[in-house]
């Protein structure tokens, strides 16, 4: 198990079914997906959930954080390469959607195994400017208020200054990572895209999510779901039902090699 995959699911060791690699949102960590194995099992997804733990947070708090998307994706590609030989799907929420897409694009250029699909939520198409959560020079108080308005900070964190002191530097670095965008004519990834957006998202609009279609080389669908930007928390079970319906399409399907997908 690589340092990016410190969490093991109840089915750890099984090689049947699809692996679901879950990439976190800005300021978030692998714990955001701690209940997903049970939830997806309950909805018949048959997936092995593998939350990705980025450096500089939770169990990797002492490790240097990335602020450059290319550098992060190169490290992910190297560290996860052996894990990605098995059939898999990438899921990313907000910043995690950008990371999942960029990793897939890199692996496609390398001609190595690709995910069978990308499930991406709450992020604009990668050629558009990154969603602005707060101004670059925003104070800690202003950043906290912006995150709280999106539903991105649990109450327990808001009530403990020491938690906020750990969270805010991570969030600022992650927002810097998100400033990278791709050219409108960037090569489309040759895997299906399944896109989700909350009906009351105040940060990302439906047209901005629909714009992902120019980066989809194997089809694209958009689902508007209940909730705001952080519907994965506020309406977790309802969303996992939607996600399970996607994953079931790919369970036990063969892995797609980038070199053979043109």
């Amino acid at each position: 198990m690589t340092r990016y995959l410190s969490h093991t699911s109840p089915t750890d060791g099984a090689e049947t079914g699809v692996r679901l690699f879950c990439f976190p949102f800005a300021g978030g960590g692998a714990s955001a997906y701690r209940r997903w194995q049970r939830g997806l099992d309950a909805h018949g997804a048959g997936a092995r959930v593998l939350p990705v733990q980025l450096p500089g947070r939770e169990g990797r708090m002492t490790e240097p954080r990335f602020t450059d998307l290319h550098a992060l994706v190169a490290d992910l590609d190297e560290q996860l390469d052996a894990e990605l030989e098995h059939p898999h799907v990438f899921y990313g929420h907000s910043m995690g959607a950008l990371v999942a897409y960029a990793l897939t694009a890199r692996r496609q250029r390398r001609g190595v195994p690709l995910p069978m699909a990308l499930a991406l939520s709450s992020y604009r198409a990668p050629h558009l400017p990154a969603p602005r959560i707060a101004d670059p020079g925003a104070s800690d108080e202003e950043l906290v208020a912006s995150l709280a308005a999106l539903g991105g900070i649990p109450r327990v964190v808001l009530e403990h200054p020491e938690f906020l002191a750990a969270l805010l530097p991570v969030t600022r670095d992650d927002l810097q990572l998100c400033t990278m965008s791709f050219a409108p004519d960037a090569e489309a990834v040759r895997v299906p895209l399944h896109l989700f957006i909350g009906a009351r998202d105040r940060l990302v609009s439906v047209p901005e999510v629909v714009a992902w279609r120019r980066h989809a080389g194997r089809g694209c669908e958009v689902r508007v779901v209940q909730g705001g930007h952080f519907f994965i928390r506020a309406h977790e079970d309802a969303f996992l039902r939607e996600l399970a319906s996607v994953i079931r399409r790919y369970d036990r399907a063969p892995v797609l090699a980038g070199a053979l997908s043109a």
Side-chain angles (χ1 to χ4, degrees):
M1 190 69 68
T2 79
R3 62 177 180 268
Y4 280 103
L5 299 176
S6 57
H7 171 89
T8 56
S9 73
T11 55
D12 188 40
E15 298 301 335
T16 59
V18 65
R19 296 180 173 191
L20 180 67
F21 291 83
C22 298
F23 297 87
F25 46 84
S31 65
Y33 304 111
R34 66 184 180 275
R35 295 189 296 265
W36 280 33
Q37 185 68 64
R38 180 174 297 178
L40 287 172
D41 286 349
H43 293 300
R48 177 186 176 192
V49 178
L50 293 172
V52 175
Q53 185 66 281
L54 301 182
R57 65 209 74 205
E58 297 182 348
R60 303 182 65 186
M61 185 66 71
T62 61
E63 299 180 40
R65 297 184 294 270
F66 286 93
T67 57
D68 179 85
L69 181 64
H70 286 305
L72 171 59
V73 166
D75 196 53
L76 282 165
D77 194 14
E78 177 182 356
Q79 294 296 320
L80 295 177
D81 194 44
E83 299 286 342
L84 299 179
E85 293 178 357
H86 304 278
H88 60 281
V89 170
F90 286 166
Y91 171 78
H93 182 78
S94 201
M95 179 190 77
L98 179 64
V99 173
Y101 165 79
L103 178 57
T104 303
R106 175 186 171 89
R107 290 182 65 79
Q108 180 169 285
R109 292 192 298 270
R110 290 182 56 217
V112 294
L114 300 178
M116 292 175 290
L118 296 181
L120 310 175
S121 60
S122 300
Y123 203 80
R124 297 175 181 175
H127 64 280
L128 299 176
R132 174 170 285 192
I133 293 176
D135 292 331
S139 67
D140 285 352
E141 292 76 12
E142 290 169 329
L143 181 56
V144 168
S146 296
L147 294 172
L150 293 173
I153 302 182
R155 183 179 298 275
V156 65
V157 175
L158 290 171
E159 294 173 350
H160 289 80
E162 64 274 21
F163 288 177
L164 283 176
L167 170 69
L168 294 181
V170 177
T171 302
R172 290 187 185 277
D173 282 352
D174 285 351
L175 295 179
Q176 175 63 33
L177 185 147
C178 289
T179 59
M180 178 186 169
S181 62
F182 290 76
D185 60 351
E187 183 180 5
V189 290
R190 297 188 290 272
V191 299
L193 301 189
H194 301 272
L195 308 173
F196 301 88
I197 180 171
R200 299 190 305 278
D201 197 322
R202 298 165 56 183
L203 189 64
V204 182
S205 71
V206 171
E208 290 169 335
V209 171
V210 171
W212 274 95
R213 286 176 175 166
R214 71 171 57 194
H215 302 281
R218 287 288 186 273
C220 177
E221 69 171 9
V222 178
R223 301 189 189 193
V224 180
V225 298
Q226 182 181 9
H229 190 72
F230 279 97
F231 60 80
I232 65 169
R233 282 182 166 164
H235 303 280
E236 184 178 73
D237 186 65
F239 171 63
L240 290 180
R241 185 182 302 111
E242 294 277 349
L243 184 59
S245 71
V246 170
I247 293 171
R248 285 195 298 268
R249 304 183 194 181
Y250 302 100
D251 190 30
R252 303 180 187 276
V255 70
L256 179 63
L260 301 177
S261 59

